[in-house]
Amino acid sequence: MNNLFSSFDPLTNIFNLPLNWLSSLLFIMFIPSLYWILPSRMQLIWNLIIKTLHNEFKTLLKNSSNFESTMIFISIFSFVLINNFLGLFPYIFTSTSQLVLTLTLSLPLWLSFMIYGWLNKTNHMFAHLVPNGTPGILMPFMVCIETISNIIRPGTLAVRLTANMIAGHLILTLLGNTGSNMTIFLVTFLIIIQIALLMLEMAVAFIQSYVIAILITLYSSEIN
């Protein structure tokens, strides 16, 4: 490691090939459903998670109750969750800690919502800029505030996920680098702390993937 942030450097390569981005495709190894005559336990658990998410997203979308309407949001949740978990394993590049990937997820979806809304539901989009019950004197300011908050949505989605993933990895890296200078008793205590932080990072990986999927669903429900 040349410095503390080199583990998050997307330009790290092997034989002049940027192979670390291949970690985003490792999730294919965890979905071997065709190899089972009967569903495995992992597949049953995953099907339960998908059904639960479908019911949650269905209530947010309101107008849609079929499975196809929530499939894109469930796919985003699955992709982000698996990449977050893979980043907790040693020597695996955490792709979700890069703004390149998180902006690639959030920006096209936000743009598609905006283009669809302003072309097909223009009056609704204009009305959404002024919340109900706003005094007349505050309406110009509310339009500016709502416009700015709408524009920064893809950035906040991307930065939220990236910052949360980098923060936990940095703490684990900092604590791990101090182990060589400690006594055996302190190293044992350090390992306990590292295990606790790793469990916390597993929870963060799940929560952040759920948050980004829920927020994208809410942005879609505002248009529809």
Side-chain angles (χ1 to χ4, degrees):
M1 292 180 63
N2 297 324
N3 54 61
L4 189 59
F5 291 92
S6 63
S7 59
F8 307 105
D9 185 8
L11 299 179
T12 305
N13 52 44
I14 302 174
F15 302 116
N16 294 323
L17 296 174
L19 299 180
N20 47 9
W21 285 106
L22 290 178
S23 64
S24 300
L25 302 177
L26 288 177
F27 68 92
I28 298 175
M29 299 172 59
F30 295 90
I31 316 177
S33 57
L34 296 179
Y35 300 146
W36 297 88
I37 298 176
L38 296 175
S40 62
R41 293 179 182 178
M42 180 178 176
Q43 191 174 354
L44 290 174
I45 294 173
W46 193 248
N47 289 338
L48 180 62
I49 293 174
I50 289 178
K51 289 180 181 178
T52 305
L53 289 174
H54 169 66
N55 292 330
E56 291 240 357
F57 296 157
K58 181 177 65 175
T59 57
L60 293 175
L61 293 174
K62 297 178 182 178
N63 295 332
S64 301
S65 59
N66 54 340
F67 190 77
E68 290 79 9
S69 60
T70 60
M71 195 61 200
I72 183 173
F73 309 111
I74 295 174
S75 301
I76 292 172
F77 170 83
S78 306
F79 179 76
V80 174
L81 176 65
I82 293 174
N83 280 281
N84 287 349
F85 269 108
L86 286 174
L88 298 176
F89 289 91
Y91 305 108
I92 295 182
F93 178 69
T94 312
S95 57
T96 50
S97 66
Q98 300 294 323
L99 281 174
V100 175
L101 180 67
T102 53
L103 270 177
T104 303
L105 285 176
S106 59
L107 188 58
L109 287 171
W110 176 82
L111 277 176
S112 63
F113 295 154
M114 290 296 102
I115 293 172
Y116 172 80
W118 284 105
L119 289 180
N120 298 305
K121 301 183 179 182
T122 308
N123 293 333
H124 173 73
M125 296 298 291
F126 275 118
H128 188 68
L129 295 176
V130 182
N132 292 329
T134 303
I137 193 172
L138 294 178
M139 284 185 179
F141 300 102
M142 291 304 299
V143 170
C144 294
I145 293 172
E146 289 293 329
T147 303
I148 294 173
S149 66
N150 203 353
I151 292 174
I152 65 174
R153 279 179 175 179
T156 54
L157 279 176
V159 171
R160 178 186 289 107
L161 178 58
T162 300
N164 279 282
M165 296 311 297
I166 285 182
H169 284 64
L170 279 180
I171 294 174
L172 290 171
T173 304
L174 284 171
L175 291 176
N177 290 338
T178 60
S180 58
N181 301 323
M182 292 183 175
T183 62
I184 296 178
F185 174 76
L186 291 178
V187 167
T188 305
F189 185 67
L190 177 63
I191 291 174
I192 296 174
I193 295 177
Q194 289 276 62
I195 293 174
L197 285 174
L198 192 61
M199 294 178 66
L200 177 63
E201 277 300 293
M202 292 174 65
V204 169
F206 183 86
I207 292 171
Q208 288 304 314
S209 56
Y210 178 74
V211 165
I212 193 170
I214 281 290
L215 288 177
I216 293 175
T217 309
L218 286 173
Y219 298 159
S220 174
S221 65
E222 289 181 0
I223 307 299
N224 295 324

